[in-house]
Amino acid sequence: MRNQIINIFCLLLFFSIAKINGQEGYDKLRGQYENLNENNEAALKYVNLYIQIAKKEKNYVNLDQGYRDGAFFSSNKAIKLKYADSAIIAAKKSDNNTILSSSYLYKGSLYYFYYKNYSAALEQYLKAYQLSKNGEDNYLKYKIIYQMGLVKSYLGYYDEALGHFRECITYFEPKTKEKNHPNQIYNDNKGYLNSLHQAIVCYQKIKDYKKADSLTHIGLNFNSQSKNYSSEKAHFLKSKGISDYYHKNYKVAAKSLNQALPILRNEDDIYWTSVSEFYIGKIFLETGNEGSAIKQFEKVDSIFQKKQFIFPELQENYELLISYYRKKKDAQQEFTYTKELLKVDNILKRDFPKLSSNIHQNYDNQILEDAKSQLESRSRLGGGTILILIIIVIILSFGIWQYYQNTKLIQQKYSELEKKLQQHSKESKSTAYENISVQSKSIIRAEIFAEIQKQLEFFESNHGFRESGLTIDQLAETFDTNKSYLSQYINDTKGMNFSKYLSTLRINYITQLMYDNPKYLRLKIQGLADECGIGSRQNFSDLFQEINNIRPTDFIKKRKAEIEKFEKKEEELKL
């Protein structure tokens, strides 16, 4: 009862402050908790007062801030998400697109960091980006672009992610040389350094170490001029260590990684801590110190056991442990890490669909061969054989479960695509000239915009996109316009670049044909590619899966089965 009275008194006191002093009252109240650490629920009593005052005054801008503060300081991830949803509702009532964009960005970051749900995170980031495009807050816009790149990088779409990070570098680099408020300088410098680091990560993933090394050098030079960016410096040192490992400069690589690790651990950066520990283990392995290497790999496993989160590059950690203990004939340890690898593989398939791969086949085959040899040479079951049989049962059970899950997932994806195709969805109407950005209007005049619109509608309706090898230069020449105008028009009205636009038209066209006309289901993949103007079989398969979220072979199989089922039913009705 006493606490309730105190809270009511505090509410009345702060409400009075807010009402008398306007925004100053909100700022004073926020000052009671804003310097506390994330997930510190001691802040929530003040946050809830803040929210109640904003509700009472119908101050939706501050209400949005209050809900976001609630999400930040709550330690329960489900509660965080509820606060984030409330922030979005308040932001919508504020009629301020910048605030709404920020709230979508924040909700996306919750999905990203706390749920590891990258698809949901990307969906929120895209909403935030659409709202930010016509806004005046460029820092927010590029913060969103950076987060979208981060998701795409984590999912393995490194080329696409690089495009995002290069955009951010182009924006932030000039900002680092401007004389602004210290807070703005700090944010711009952080944006620049983080974008550099993530671009380096992508270049290393695609094995372009020359570009990765160049950006690493830039990042370290920038950091040497300031002591305010220790975590960023650790990322560049880590990147240098990884590149030096691939350059076989093992001593230099180990030094860089060991310099980075204390900072990464202090920041509780489990991703790069795990990766750095793993590469130190690989360095030990390459330099003949197998015992120390195994200790490192087991250290990585201990991080996984504690956090239950793994990254694609660390799958090899378990393959190396299994190989080591098989060589040592330690069946118990081999069995332990085989189970862990199965668990890891399952997590990777869930969180990193493009990067995940099956467990290396030679491990499964070797286990089966071992079992076969022992069963043939021994007339009764021994401890070793039982262990091997257990492993076989686990692998087979996993295989069956995986097959069932894949079948279920394919059916779900097919149903979603079928629903879209049954609607015979057309391309959405192009954006009106009045609705494009001021910047775009400065590039393309209304009459040119209208002419390109007319030409492009004719191009789509007559399936001009089926021409193989078509480039934006060729199309611009056909339209009697220039490449820049055409590119700007497509970006503004379609929300994508020319390459993505052309691919989407082609895949949507051939998918509808395959659904409507069974004769196309009999074509081979190369024939389907030729039919819609895509040059190679592999490119067609990759684009089909990217746009339709299902492999063409799976779509064909499901559609054929559906047609056969329908025909069989019709035949039964006739009888």
Side-chain angles (χ1 to χ4, degrees):
M1 182 68 182
R2 185 165 175 265
N3 289 338
Q4 286 179 335
I5 292 170
I6 291 171
N7 283 338
I8 290 169
F9 175 76
C10 289
L11 174 60
L12 291 171
L13 174 63
F14 281 113
F15 180 69
S16 173
I17 291 170
K19 197 161 183 74
I20 293 169
N21 298 320
Q23 185 58 41
E24 185 182 348
Y26 286 106
D27 293 341
K28 283 183 178 179
L29 181 50
R30 268 196 103 219
Q32 299 292 319
Y33 63 81
E34 64 181 348
N35 292 323
L36 296 177
N37 292 329
E38 186 176 8
N39 300 328
N40 186 341
E41 295 199 340
L44 291 180
K45 61 182 178 181
Y46 299 109
V47 172
N48 288 329
L49 289 174
Y50 188 101
I51 289 170
Q52 288 178 58
I53 292 169
K55 275 185 178 178
K56 184 80 174 175
E57 293 190 345
K58 295 185 179 179
N59 187 326
Y60 297 116
V61 171
N62 283 314
L63 185 57
D64 167 82
Q65 182 64 63
Y67 282 130
R68 274 195 273 165
D69 288 345
F72 184 81
F73 291 109
S74 176
S75 61
N76 182 303
K77 68 179 185 180
I79 300 298
K80 282 179 179 289
L81 209 54
K82 286 183 179 179
Y83 272 120
D85 285 331
S86 296
I88 288 170
I89 293 169
K92 286 179 179 177
K93 290 181 180 179
S94 76
D95 287 328
N96 187 318
N97 282 346
T98 299
I99 291 172
L100 182 56
S101 177
S102 296
S103 292
Y104 278 125
L105 174 62
Y106 187 77
K107 185 178 178 182
S109 70
L110 294 180
Y111 277 125
Y112 180 88
F113 290 107
Y114 287 96
Y115 286 86
K116 312 304 178 190
N117 186 337
Y118 301 117
S119 297
L122 188 57
E123 182 182 347
Q124 298 302 313
Y125 292 154
L126 287 169
K127 288 179 182 178
Y129 178 68
Q130 290 302 320
L131 288 164
S132 73
K133 279 199 301 185
N134 296 324
E136 296 180 0
D137 190 340
N138 282 328
Y139 176 77
L140 173 63
K141 176 183 174 181
Y142 284 97
K143 189 176 178 182
I144 297 165
I145 291 171
Y146 172 83
Q147 289 296 138
M148 290 195 294
L150 208 56
V151 172
K152 289 181 180 180
S153 176
Y154 267 42
L155 294 177
Y157 298 96
Y158 301 122
D159 289 324
E160 287 186 32
L162 267 171
H164 290 291
F165 298 135
R166 281 196 286 255
E167 271 191 76
C168 292
I169 291 168
T170 301
Y171 171 74
F172 283 117
E173 185 178 18
K175 295 286 182 184
T176 64
K177 298 164 187 173
E178 294 179 2
K179 292 182 179 180
N180 292 315
H181 186 279
N183 289 346
Q184 187 63 52
I185 292 170
Y186 179 78
N187 288 337
D188 288 334
N189 287 353
K190 290 270 286 188
Y192 175 58
L193 292 172
N194 287 329
S195 300
L196 276 179
H197 170 240
Q198 291 302 329
I200 291 164
V201 171
C202 291
Y203 280 126
Q204 288 180 332
K205 296 292 187 185
I206 61 177
K207 303 189 186 308
D208 190 341
Y209 297 111
K210 186 175 179 181
K211 287 182 181 176
D213 293 347
S214 175
L215 292 184
T216 302
H217 180 71
I218 292 170
L220 287 171
N221 276 349
F222 189 98
N223 268 105
S224 67
Q225 299 167 25
S226 175
K227 296 179 180 179
N228 295 328
Y229 309 99
S230 59
S231 62
E232 285 72 24
K233 181 179 180 181
H235 288 148
F236 291 122
L237 286 169
K238 172 271 307 174
S239 298
K240 185 177 185 304
I242 291 173
S243 281
D244 281 329
Y245 167 81
Y246 285 109
H247 294 318
K248 302 188 185 301
N249 299 327
Y250 300 125
K251 188 174 180 180
V252 178
K255 181 181 178 182
S256 295
L257 291 167
N258 281 311
Q259 283 180 312
L261 267 170
I263 304 169
L264 296 172
R265 290 193 195 107
N266 187 55
E267 298 277 342
D268 197 28
D269 189 339
I270 60 167
Y271 188 118
W272 294 119
T273 297
S274 302
V275 170
S276 298
E277 299 281 16
F278 173 63
Y279 274 97
I280 289 172
K282 291 184 77 173
I283 290 168
F284 279 130
L285 207 58
E286 292 291 343
T287 53
N289 194 341
E290 191 175 42
S292 295
I294 295 304
K295 286 180 182 177
Q296 283 295 126
F297 298 147
E298 288 174 339
K299 189 185 291 186
V300 173
D301 174 61
S302 71
I303 297 173
F304 168 60
Q305 297 303 328
K306 183 179 178 182
K307 301 291 184 179
Q308 286 299 296
F309 186 64
I310 198 73
F311 319 105
E313 52 261 68
L314 298 182
Q315 188 175 20
E316 186 187 356
N317 188 76
Y318 291 93
E319 294 164 0
L320 291 168
L321 284 168
I322 292 168
S323 178
Y324 173 79
Y325 284 112
R326 178 177 301 140
K327 186 173 65 177
K328 293 291 183 183
K329 301 189 185 305
D330 188 336
Q332 183 60 47
Q333 286 291 79
E334 182 187 346
F335 177 55
T336 297
Y337 288 115
T338 299
K339 285 196 300 180
E340 290 306 309
L341 182 54
L342 289 169
K343 191 191 298 184
V344 165
D345 193 63
N346 189 31
I347 291 173
L348 294 180
K349 282 182 168 60
R350 180 194 69 203
D351 291 342
F352 299 90
K354 187 177 178 187
L355 286 179
S356 65
S357 59
N358 293 325
I359 298 171
H360 283 191
Q361 191 63 40
N362 63 307
Y363 292 118
D364 295 345
N365 290 344
Q366 189 60 52
I367 291 169
L368 293 171
E369 286 300 319
D370 289 349
K372 181 181 177 183
S373 299
Q374 289 194 33
L375 286 170
E376 287 174 349
S377 62
R378 298 168 71 172
S379 58
R380 57 191 179 85
L381 295 176
T385 307
I386 291 173
L387 178 61
I388 292 169
L389 288 173
I390 290 171
I391 293 172
I392 294 172
V393 169
I394 290 170
I395 291 171
L396 290 175
S397 299
F398 176 78
I400 293 167
W401 176 86
Q402 188 181 52
Y403 175 78
Y404 171 77
Q405 291 296 319
N406 286 342
T407 303
K408 186 178 176 182
L409 183 61
I410 289 168
Q411 181 58 52
Q412 179 188 335
K413 290 177 178 178
Y414 175 82
S415 298
E416 290 169 357
L417 180 56
E418 184 181 43
K419 186 177 179 181
K420 172 186 165 186
L421 293 168
Q422 285 174 344
Q423 295 170 351
H424 292 277
S425 57
K426 304 289 183 184
E427 288 292 322
S428 58
K429 289 185 178 180
S430 295
T431 306
Y433 182 78
E434 295 75 30
N435 295 330
I436 67 173
S437 68
V438 174
Q439 182 182 356
S440 296
K441 287 177 181 175
S442 69
I443 296 171
I444 182 170
R445 298 195 309 274
E447 59 269 28
I448 295 174
F449 184 97
E451 182 58 25
I452 293 175
Q453 185 177 59
K454 179 182 175 183
Q455 295 266 25
L456 212 57
E457 285 174 355
F458 181 83
F459 169 77
E460 290 178 5
S461 63
N462 286 274
H463 306 144
F465 48 81
R466 293 177 61 203
E467 179 184 344
S468 182
L470 182 65
T471 66
I472 192 169
D473 295 288
Q474 291 170 340
L475 192 59
E477 187 178 345
T478 302
F479 288 179
D480 196 24
T481 186
N482 67 46
K483 174 184 173 181
S484 297
Y485 289 154
L486 181 56
S487 177
Q488 188 68 44
Y489 176 91
I490 290 171
N491 284 329
D492 285 334
T493 62
K494 308 298 180 183
M496 62 187 81
N497 62 30
F498 175 79
S499 177
K500 184 66 180 288
Y501 163 68
L502 196 60
S503 298
T504 303
L505 286 176
R506 288 167 169 172
I507 293 299
N508 288 346
Y509 169 77
I510 195 65
T511 307
Q512 193 72 57
L513 281 181
M514 292 162 68
Y515 185 81
D516 292 337
N517 193 335
K519 81 173 186 179
Y520 289 95
L521 299 173
R522 295 191 289 271
L523 293 178
K524 293 185 177 180
I525 298 298
Q526 185 59 59
L528 293 168
D530 293 339
E531 187 67 26
C532 66
I534 294 174
S536 76
R537 180 182 185 276
Q538 186 60 51
N539 194 27
F540 174 87
S541 296
D542 291 342
L543 287 170
F544 192 99
Q545 183 162 17
E546 180 182 338
I547 292 167
N548 288 330
N549 203 26
I550 187 173
R551 294 186 306 172
T553 50
D554 289 332
F555 176 84
I556 291 168
K557 184 178 177 182
K558 285 289 179 185
R559 184 59 182 153
K560 281 182 176 178
E562 195 175 59
I563 291 171
E564 287 173 5
K565 184 178 178 182
F566 177 78
E567 289 175 347
K568 186 177 179 182
K569 192 173 181 181
E570 276 197 328
E571 198 65 33
E572 288 173 354
L573 289 172
K574 287 179 183 178
L575 294 174

